[in-house]
């Protein structure tokens, strides 16, 4: 396998990739995908120039970091251990203005989080032959390993590999998980579902509604855990770890290691989400912005590629139950009036996901397609 990857990237294949006259992206994508080795396979082959399929246009790579002369702007950090009314107020403000916030005193131990990071690292750093049996683009698979979910439709691939674990109605048989990271994922997810229940109530109250509102409309029962591995990149100035995008979920909870690289688009500037030890990150998803009629914001974000690594993160996206994936969600009636009409049409999870996947991470907001 290593020989196949090396041959693809270090021989005439690379020359063909870099020749604008005979370059065929579809062929290069297929050849890369067939290796089933991911970006890690490219790095292991000792490549010093990244393949053309990973090169992004310069406008996608602009830095534009925020600096107002008084210091770099920071994503809010919320202490969930403070009085409830304070926490609700801070979550409301962060969700309205940033769409992102970091959380401390959230109830998940540093030990569980660190073991989760190490478990994902173990999976991605095992021999390629061991990972290949998990490699799939079939979204019906409960657990699968892949490189770039939108590889076949995107204009430029991202420098990362991923493993996805789908918890329909919050349930996944642990024996379906890779043994090398099974316990780490089990322990983390057990605690994460408890945190999700807590955040569901806090977000409901931050919306000015009954604390059980989001639970009652059944919008966050299913979870999709996506565990990313970003190897070091020999030419980080040419690519991204993750393109600019917002999330198609109602809510996302993210665990990241201490390397950094995540950036949030705020006031038309990219702001670094600086890692805080023991913190988790919550961000509002597209469907939460839709039902709140733009009260809460689903904000675009990205991950920079880096000449150091690997960087490891796990994002857990929350969606409706299996029974309600075709249930229509629209702006909450309590928010609507003659002076505040609905901004979006009703849609359901399956429709939104289908559109989101069809366009890939192309830098445009999927929500625009659902505006009235």
């Amino acid at each position: 396998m290593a020989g196949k990857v090396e041959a693809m990237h270090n021989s005439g294949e690379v020359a063909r990739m870099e020749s604008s006259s005979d370059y065929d992206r579809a062929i290069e994508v297929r050849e890369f995908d067939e290796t089933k080795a991911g970006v890690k396979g490219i790095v292991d082959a000792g490549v010093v120039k990244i393949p053309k399929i990973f090169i992004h246009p310069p406008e996608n790579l602009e830095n534009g970091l925020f600096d107002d002369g008084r210091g770099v702007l920071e994503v809010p950090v919320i202490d969930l251990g403070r009085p409830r009314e304070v926490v609700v107020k801070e979550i409301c403000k962060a969700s309205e203005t940033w769409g992102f916030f970091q959380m401390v005193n959230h109830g998940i131990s540093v030990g569980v989080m660190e073991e989760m990071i190490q478990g994902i690292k173990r999976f991605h750093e095992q021999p390629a032959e061991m990972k290949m049996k998990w490699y799939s683009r079939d979204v019906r698979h409960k657990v699968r390993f892949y490189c770039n979910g939108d590889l076949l439709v995107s204009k430029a691939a991202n420098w990362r590999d991923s493993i996805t674990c789908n918890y329909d109605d919050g349930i996944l048989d642990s024996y379906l998980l890779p043994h090398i990271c099974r316990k780490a994922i089990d322990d983390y997810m057990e605690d994460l579902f408890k945190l999700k229940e807590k955040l569901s109530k806090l977000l409901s109250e931050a919306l000015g509604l009954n604390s059980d509102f989001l639970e009652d409309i059944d919008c966050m029962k299913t979870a999709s855990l996506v565990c990313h591995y970003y190897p070091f990149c020999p030419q980080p100035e040419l690519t991204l770890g993750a393109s600019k995008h917002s999330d198609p979920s109602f809510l996302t909870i993210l665990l990241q290691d201490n390397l950094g690289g995540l950036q949030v688009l705020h006031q038309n500037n990219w702001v670094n989400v600086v890692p805080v030890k023991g913190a988790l990150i919550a961000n509002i998803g597209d469907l939460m912005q839709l039902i709140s009629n733009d009260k809460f914001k689903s904000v675009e974000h990205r991950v920079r590629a880096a000449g150091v690594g690997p960087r490891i993160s796990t994002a857990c996206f929350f969606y409706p139950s299996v029974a309600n994936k075709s249930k229509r969600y629209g702006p909450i009636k309590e928010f609507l009036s003659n002076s505040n009409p609905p901004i979006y049409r009703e849609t359901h999870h399956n429709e939104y996901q289908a559109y989101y996947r069809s366009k890939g991470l192309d830098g445009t907001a999927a929500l625009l397609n659902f505006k009235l």
Side-chain angles (χ1 to χ4, degrees):
M1 172 51 58
K4 182 177 179 181
V5 175
E6 187 171 5
M8 174 185 171
H9 297 293
N10 286 345
S11 67
E13 296 290 344
V14 171
R16 181 154 59 84
M17 281 183 181
E18 295 177 349
S19 171
S20 59
S21 60
D22 59 4
Y23 174 67
D24 188 323
R25 184 181 188 280
I27 292 176
E28 304 302 343
V29 164
R30 185 179 71 248
E31 290 175 349
F32 168 71
D33 203 36
E34 287 175 352
T35 70
K36 299 183 179 181
V39 174
K40 180 72 161 54
I42 299 174
V43 173
D44 290 344
V47 169
V48 296
K49 290 186 176 181
I50 66 174
K52 191 170 182 177
I53 61 172
F54 292 94
I55 297 177
H56 286 246
E59 60 269 20
N60 289 2
L61 301 168
E62 292 175 356
N63 200 358
L65 285 174
F66 185 94
D67 188 351
D68 61 1
R70 295 172 295 177
V72 177
L73 205 60
E74 293 184 351
V75 171
V77 178
I78 299 176
D79 183 349
L80 298 189
R82 299 184 70 191
R84 190 176 189 88
E85 61 273 17
V86 174
V87 173
V88 169
K89 183 177 180 180
E90 290 183 352
I91 287 178
C92 180
K93 182 179 180 181
S95 300
E96 289 178 344
T97 57
W98 281 88
F100 265 75
F101 54 91
Q102 300 208 60
M103 304 173 288
V104 296
N105 289 322
H106 43 65
I108 303 181
S109 73
V110 170
V112 167
M113 293 191 295
E114 289 181 347
E115 177 54 25
M116 180 64 174
I117 294 291
Q118 290 304 312
I120 300 312
K121 187 172 186 286
R122 288 193 300 271
F123 174 84
H124 285 285
E125 294 185 352
Q126 64 184 322
E129 291 74 15
M130 300 294 291
K131 292 187 291 185
M132 284 174 58
K133 66 180 180 180
W134 299 96
Y135 199 93
S136 176
R137 296 208 169 272
D138 189 342
V139 297
R140 295 170 297 180
H141 288 194
K142 298 283 189 183
V143 181
R144 61 190 180 96
F145 163 59
Y146 57 94
C147 178
N148 283 252
D150 64 343
L151 181 68
L152 306 183
V153 298
S154 68
K155 294 181 180 179
N158 290 314
W159 196 257
R160 69 177 179 186
D161 297 328
S162 308
I163 177 173
T164 288
C165 312
N166 290 323
Y167 290 74
D168 289 339
D169 295 343
I171 299 170
L172 177 64
D173 187 338
S174 65
Y175 286 99
L176 295 174
L177 296 169
H179 184 267
I180 199 167
C181 54
R182 181 180 299 159
K183 188 176 188 305
I185 292 177
D186 277 345
D187 291 347
Y188 178 72
M189 290 303 291
E190 180 180 356
D191 289 346
L192 194 69
F193 278 116
K194 294 175 184 175
L195 175 59
K196 184 265 295 185
E197 297 297 330
K198 182 175 184 177
L199 284 175
S200 175
K201 294 181 181 299
L202 290 169
L203 286 164
S204 294
E205 293 175 30
L207 286 167
L209 302 167
N210 182 285
S211 62
D212 293 326
F213 182 87
L214 292 175
E215 181 180 355
D216 289 344
I217 65 172
D218 189 24
C219 62
M220 295 192 289
K221 192 170 184 180
T222 287
S224 180
L225 178 71
V226 186
C227 308
H228 298 304
Y229 182 93
Y230 303 84
F232 88 90
C233 182
Q235 294 179 297
E237 71 280 2
L238 298 181
T239 190
L240 288 166
S243 305
K244 181 178 75 170
H245 68 286
S246 57
D247 293 347
S249 57
F250 278 88
L251 174 69
T252 304
I253 301 177
L254 177 76
L255 165 65
Q256 65 170 343
D257 65 13
N258 61 1
L259 287 187
L262 174 63
Q263 296 180 324
V264 172
L265 191 61
H266 182 72
Q267 298 175 355
N268 293 318
N269 288 276
W270 289 108
V271 178
N272 287 322
V273 183
V274 179
V276 174
K277 185 174 178 59
L280 289 168
I281 299 165
N283 67 277
I284 301 300
D286 290 352
L287 293 175
M288 186 72 79
Q289 178 169 333
L290 185 149
I291 67 169
S292 71
N293 212 40
D294 277 359
K295 177 177 173 64
F296 285 179
K297 303 298 191 296
S298 178
V299 174
E300 291 174 316
H301 48 287
R302 69 180 185 182
V303 176
R304 302 285 296 185
V308 296
R311 176 185 185 269
I312 295 166
S313 68
T314 68
C316 193
F317 306 91
F318 290 98
Y319 304 109
S321 66
V322 172
N324 283 326
K325 283 190 174 181
S326 293
K327 173 183 174 180
R328 304 194 74 80
Y329 290 91
I332 297 168
K333 290 181 173 53
E334 286 86 344
F335 293 165
L336 304 181
S337 65
N338 290 334
S339 60
N340 189 34
I343 297 170
Y344 304 97
R345 66 177 175 86
E346 290 186 342
T347 185
H348 54 75
H349 166 79
N350 286 340
E351 179 189 26
Y352 199 87
Q353 281 284 359
Y355 176 73
Y356 190 92
R357 289 189 177 120
S358 70
K359 76 178 196 64
L361 303 186
D362 62 358
T364 62
L367 265 177
L368 295 175
N369 191 58
F370 296 83
K371 278 197 167 186
L372 291 170

